[in-house]
Amino acid sequence: MTPRWRLLLLALALLVLAPAVLRVALTLPAFGAPTAALGQTVNALAPELRHVANMVAAVNFDLRGIDTLGEECMLLCAVTGATVLLRGARGEHDTARAGRLPGRPVTPRADATVLVCRIFATLTLMVGLSVALHGMTTPGGGFQGGVIAASGLLLLYLGEGYAGWRALVPPPVLVALEGGGALLFVLCAGLPLLAGHPALQNRLPLGEFRDLYSGGLMVLVNAAVALSVAGSFGLLLVEFLEETREAGDDPISDEEDR
Amino acid sequence: MSTLSPGALPISALPWLVAAWLFAVGLYGIVTSRHCVHLVGCLTVCQSATYVLLLGLGYVREAGPPVFYDHPPGTPAVDPVVQALVLTDIVVGAAVTALLLAIAIQVQRRRGTLDPQALRPLRPPPPSAE
């Protein structure tokens, strides 16, 4: 199908959908005056009920916790899929040489690059940790903190090169972080069930409002999500950066699934 | 938007228009794409349209963030539910994008092309693809 035909097909589909879309669009609430009551109810009740200051975290890790468990599973599945698709295609050697185009000169890294990357990788890791830890009180939480921490790994790669980076970032640790975080989340959700309570019921002491420990079980769930997200994105980085190596001696055969 | 008339669009319609524009641009890119990586990029543009729409739906005029650290609970705040939705979706969306790019790498490796036009699922790959 040429792009012209595809566009024609799209126009036809849009024509069919247009009445429904228009009808919904014309009933959108005015900007700045939402009609949904759920969010405002959460704002009014959750600080009292859960002793947390960050309502987004309260929604994510408590009120909508089961939904977040589903999202967590999606993250796990997506990362597992990407890992399975990429792993082993260039050999399993940990410290293979970085690939390069023949004929293109390799400029050695400047010392300043290495230094700046080491400093900022550490700082990025610290910021990620801080954002994750303060998830209950200030904007932040496990999702953001985990991604920030994992992006510090990319700075390490920039500074150390492939071999040095690979020695610093062992994939089994990342896998354990990812799986362990998800398992911790499942345990947080499932253990109350065993005791005859609803899933994810907040049985821990709720702590002080605006304190680092506030929200009871949410602190644990937040930590689980932070570990899992950091592990997931670190693993994705490992798998994608493996693609920059020289192809190994033992590429897997693609013949059997043809 | 109930007072939407074609002549004079209220400024409050701007977020919806931005969302619609982003979605349209992304959709056009997907339909006319000639490269799978470009396709994945267009998909994320479409996705960000939903973020604009959701955050616009949750915005409350003259309200602060739904984080009651330096202003006490009870002060007006925007809708936290849509923010939570967008937050988790950004992270999961990034992982799904990585999965799609991994698929693109495999397609390139097996078929030797990333043009959706040239990919025929049921046709055996050319012998020179490896």
Side-chain angles (χ1 to χ4, degrees), chain A residues 26, chain B residues 1-10 13:
Chain A
L26 289 176
Chain B
M1 275 278 276
S2 52
T3 59
L4 178 65
S5 61
L9 275 174

Side-chain angles (χ1 to χ4, degrees), chain A residues 161-174:
Chain A
Y162 183 79
W165 180 72
R166 193 57 191 263
L168 283 171
V169 183
V173 173
L174 296 176

Side-chain angles (χ1 to χ4, degrees), chain A residues 207-249:
Chain A
E208 289 289 314
F209 185 68
R210 288 177 61 178
D211 196 24
L212 198 61
Y213 178 85
S214 55
L217 189 66
M218 285 160 65
V219 176
L220 217 57
V221 175
N222 181 49
V225 167
L227 293 179
S228 182
V229 169
S232 300
F233 279 78
L235 201 59
L236 282 179
L237 289 179
V238 168
E239 295 302 332
F240 272 97
L241 291 177
E242 263 188 3
E243 296 293 312
T244 68
R245 291 183 302 168
E246 276 180 344
D249 307 330

Side-chain angles (χ1 to χ4, degrees), chain A residues 28, chain B residues 13-27 45-57:
Chain A
L28 277 176
Chain B
L14 191 63
W16 314 143
L17 293 180
V18 169
W21 173 250
L22 278 175
F23 192 81
V25 168
L27 198 61
V45 172
C46 273
Q47 212 175 0
S48 41
T50 63
Y51 304 154
V52 175
L53 181 68
L54 277 175
L55 292 181
L57 276 175

Side-chain angles (χ1 to χ4, degrees), chain A residues 66-233:
Chain A
I66 290 296
D67 206 7
T68 308
L69 184 60
E71 304 252 17
E72 177 68 39
C73 291
M74 275 171 64
L75 182 75
L76 202 69
C77 289
V79 173
T80 310
T83 308
V84 167
L85 279 173
L86 292 176
R87 174 161 288 180
R90 295 210 163 213
E92 289 290 346
H93 305 300
D94 277 2
T95 51
R97 289 161 48 83
R100 59 194 175 102
L101 286 178
R104 183 183 282 184
V106 179
T107 331
R109 246 176 221 86
D111 285 345
T113 313
V114 179
L115 181 68
V116 167
C117 285
R118 282 183 187 175
I119 292 174
F120 276 92
T122 322
L123 285 180
T124 311
L125 208 64
M126 298 291 284
V127 169
L129 211 62
S130 165
V131 167
L133 279 179
H134 291 88
M136 297 302 126
T137 51
T138 55
F143 282 104
Q144 300 97 314
V147 173
I148 295 173
S151 59
L153 298 179
L154 207 53
L155 278 174
L156 273 184
Y157 169 76
L158 188 64
E160 309 297 322
Y162 183 79
W165 180 72
R166 193 57 191 263
L168 283 171
V169 183
V173 173
L174 296 176
V175 171
L177 278 182
E178 183 196 7
L183 183 68
L184 186 57
F185 199 154
V186 171
L187 285 181
C188 287
L191 283 185
L193 283 179
L194 290 183
H197 303 293
L200 266 176
Q201 196 185 28
N202 214 329
R203 303 279 297 171
L204 296 176
L206 286 177
E208 289 289 314
F209 185 68
R210 288 177 61 178
D211 196 24
L212 198 61
Y213 178 85
S214 55
L217 189 66
M218 285 160 65
V219 176
L220 217 57
V221 175
N222 181 49
V225 167
L227 293 179
S228 182
V229 169
S232 300
F233 279 78

Side-chain angles (χ1 to χ4, degrees), chain A residues 254-255 258, chain B residues 105-113 119 123-130:
Chain A
D254 292 340
E255 296 304 321
R258 285 265 168 87
Chain B
I105 288 178
Q106 284 291 344
V107 168
Q108 169 70 34
R109 192 172 286 152
R110 278 153 199 266
R111 296 299 172 101
T113 177
L119 288 171
R123 187 180 295 173
S128 60
E130 284 296 308

